[in-house]
Amino acid sequence: MGEKKGFFSRLVEGLTKTRDNIVSGIDSVFHGFSKIDDEFYEELEEILIMGDLGVKATESILDDLREKVKANHVKEPAECKQLLIDSIKQQMQVGETAYRFEEETSVVLVIGVNGVGKTTTVGKLAGKLKEQGKKVVIAGADTFRAAAGDQLKEWADRSGVDMIGGTEGADPGSVVYDATAAAKARNADVLLVDTAGRLHNKKNLMNELGKINKILEKEYPQAYRETLVVLDATTGQNALVQAKEFSDVAKISGIVLTKMDGTAKGGIAVAIQAELGVPVKYIGVGETIDDLQKFDPDEFVNALFDVKNKEDNDEDADAR
Ligand SMILES: Nc1nc2c(ncn2[C@@H]2O[C@H](COP(=O)(O)OP(=O)(O)OP(=O)(O)O)[C@@H](O)[C@H]2O)c(=O)[nH]1
C-alpha cells in the first residue's frame, strides 16, 4: 500500500511536464467553448495530437467521447472532462493475461536500443520478481558493451539473483544457451534476458535476435515466452518508430516505457498502444527500483489529470 501510494505521488510529479503540455490545453478548451460543436472537437483533436497521443488513438478517443456525449445528453463543454478521462482510460486497457509470465516458468526477452534503460529495467524486474519470492536467473546477453554486463551484475548482486554473463565480445547465443541450462538446473521461475540494442545495424540485430529465439525455442520449449521492448519516453515519436522497427524483427508482447519523469512527451504511452496493438506493461518514472511499476491505465490517467479516485484517497490515508 505504502509503496503504491508513493508511486502514485511520484507518477503525479513525474507527469508534471506532460500534464502542462496536454491537460492545461484541454482545460482551456473546456472552459473556452460555450457549446460542444465541430470546432470544439477539432480543438481537442489538435491538443491531443500535439500532446503525442498520435492520430489513431486521438481519433478513437474522440469517437468514443462523441458517443458518450450523445448517450449522456451532455451539453456543457466543461462536463466533458470526466467523459474524456474515461475515454482515454478505455483506450489503454492492458488485458487480463498481460502478466502471465509471472505465474509460469518463463523467459522474458528484453530488447531495445542502447541507452533507453534496458539494463536498468532488467535489474529492476529481477529485484521485483525476487521480492515476490520467485527464483530468477538473468542472462547478460549484451556482450557488445562490457559496462552493460558490469551494471547488470551490480543489480543481480543487489537483488540476490543469479546472473550468467559473458566477456565483452562473447557470443550472445552462447550466453543464452548457458543461461537456459542454469535456469533449468536451478529450477528458475523466470529467466530474464538482457540483449544488445544495435538497431543501427538492423540485419545484425535481426540475426542476433533470431539466433537467441532459436536457442530459447530449442533449449527451453517448456518456458512461457514474453518479449518486452524498452522505449525511452523522452524521445516521443521516435520511440514509436523504434517500437515498429522491433516489431518487424520480433514478436513483441509488451512495452516498457522508461523516463516518464521529466518529459512532456508522456502522451506517447497512449499512442504506442493504439499504433502497435501492444500494451504498455511497465512504466519508469525514475532510477530506483520502486520507480518501475506495472502500468495501470486508471492510475496513469488519474495521475496525468491529477484527479484522485476513492482508492487513491484511501491509500493516502493509509500512508499517513
Ligand atoms: N529518469 C529516469 N532515468 C532512467 C529510467 N530508467 C532508466 N534510467 C536511466 O537511464 C540510463 C540508461 O539506462 P541503461 O539501463 O544503462 O540503458 P540501456 O538501454 O541498458 O543501455 P545500454 O546498456 O547501453 O544498452 C541510466 O542512467 C538509468 O538510470 C527512468 O524511468 N527515469
Side-chain angles (χ1 to χ4, degrees):
M1 276 287 199
E3 186 196 313
K4 194 168 176 232
K5 187 263 155 189
F7 183 70
F8 186 76
S9 303
R10 283 205 295 282
L11 192 57
V12 171
E13 203 185 306
L15 290 175
T16 301
K17 286 188 182 162
T18 301
R19 184 179 315 112
D20 290 347
N21 190 21
I22 305 174
V23 179
S24 51
I26 287 174
D27 279 340
S28 70
V29 176
F30 287 146
H31 293 110
F33 277 78
S34 56
K35 61 177 194 296
I36 301 169
D37 54 11
D38 285 350
E39 216 181 309
F40 165 82
Y41 283 117
E42 273 165 26
E43 194 76 21
L44 265 185
E45 182 177 12
E46 198 178 318
I47 285 161
L48 295 180
I49 289 174
M50 293 297 286
D52 280 303
L53 274 79
V55 175
K56 210 167 176 179
T58 298
E59 278 175 3
S60 156
I61 288 164
L62 291 182
D63 284 350
D64 189 60
L65 178 65
R66 277 193 182 91
E67 275 176 32
K68 285 190 165 83
V69 164
K70 240 188 206 164
N72 292 287
H73 308 289
V74 172
K75 296 273 180 284
E76 292 296 320
E79 283 174 46
C80 288
K81 186 164 176 176
Q82 188 54 48
L83 298 180
L84 178 69
I85 289 173
D86 294 343
S87 295
I88 299 176
K89 283 180 182 172
Q90 214 164 308
Q91 180 67 40
M92 307 191 77
Q93 290 312 312
V94 179
E96 276 166 25
T97 54
Y99 303 100
R100 201 175 132 192
F101 71 90
E102 287 185 348
E103 314 304 324
E104 315 232 358
T105 300
S106 60
V107 178
V108 182
L109 190 62
V110 182
I111 59 183
V113 303
N114 293 340
V116 290
K118 195 163 26 81
T119 303
T120 315
T121 296
V122 171
K124 288 172 180 172
L125 274 179
K128 286 183 176 299
L129 291 163
K130 178 76 198 279
E131 268 169 27
Q132 290 175 22
K134 302 263 191 295
K135 176 117 184 90
V136 181
V137 173
I138 296 178
D142 181 0
T143 53
F144 188 68
R145 198 175 66 93
D150 299 341
Q151 196 185 333
L152 200 54
K153 184 80 175 72
E154 258 176 51
W155 277 101
D157 290 346
R158 212 178 305 155
S159 311
V161 307
D162 297 340
M163 173 173 158
I164 309 296
T167 50
E168 189 174 348
D171 174 19
S174 77
V175 173
V176 172
Y177 183 91
D178 290 348
T180 56
K184 285 184 279 189
R186 296 171 203 180
N187 261 327
D189 297 302
V190 184
L191 169 62
L192 290 170
V193 183
D194 186 25
T195 59
R198 281 162 288 159
L199 199 62
H200 60 263
N201 188 339
K202 205 170 161 191
K203 191 160 171 275
N204 257 4
L205 180 82
M206 197 154 31
N207 287 343
E208 193 169 297
L209 288 179
K211 207 164 140 193
I212 289 175
N213 271 323
K214 225 180 246 167
I215 292 165
L216 291 173
E217 272 161 30
K218 184 155 178 273
E219 300 302 324
Y220 210 18
Q222 63 272 48
Y224 178 81
R225 296 291 307 276
E226 177 79 29
T227 301
L228 299 175
V229 178
V230 182
L231 301 169
D232 176 344
T234 63
T235 62
Q237 295 300 318
N238 218 349
L240 192 58
V241 174
Q242 278 172 25
K244 282 184 180 154
E245 298 230 34
F246 275 108
S247 70
D248 289 344
V249 297
K251 204 166 166 285
I252 301 172
S253 51
I255 305 289
V256 179
L257 207 49
T258 62
K259 309 185 196 180
M260 290 290 272
D261 50 311
T263 177
K265 297 175 178 167
I268 198 71
V270 188
I272 285 172
Q273 198 135 331
E275 297 287 337
L276 295 179
V278 177
V280 175
K281 294 193 178 176
Y282 292 90
I283 54 170
V285 292
E287 302 194 42
T288 73
I289 185 163
D290 288 334
D291 290 324
L292 182 80
Q293 291 284 335
K294 282 181 183 163
F295 180 70
D296 176 335
D298 288 351
E299 191 180 59
F300 176 79
V301 181
N302 284 345
L304 181 60
F305 283 84
D306 202 6
V307 289
K308 293 200 160 211
N309 58 24
K310 190 181 168 303
E311 210 178 294
D312 298 323
N313 281 330
D314 289 349
E315 279 154 12
D316 271 354
D318 286 344
R320 276 198 288 270

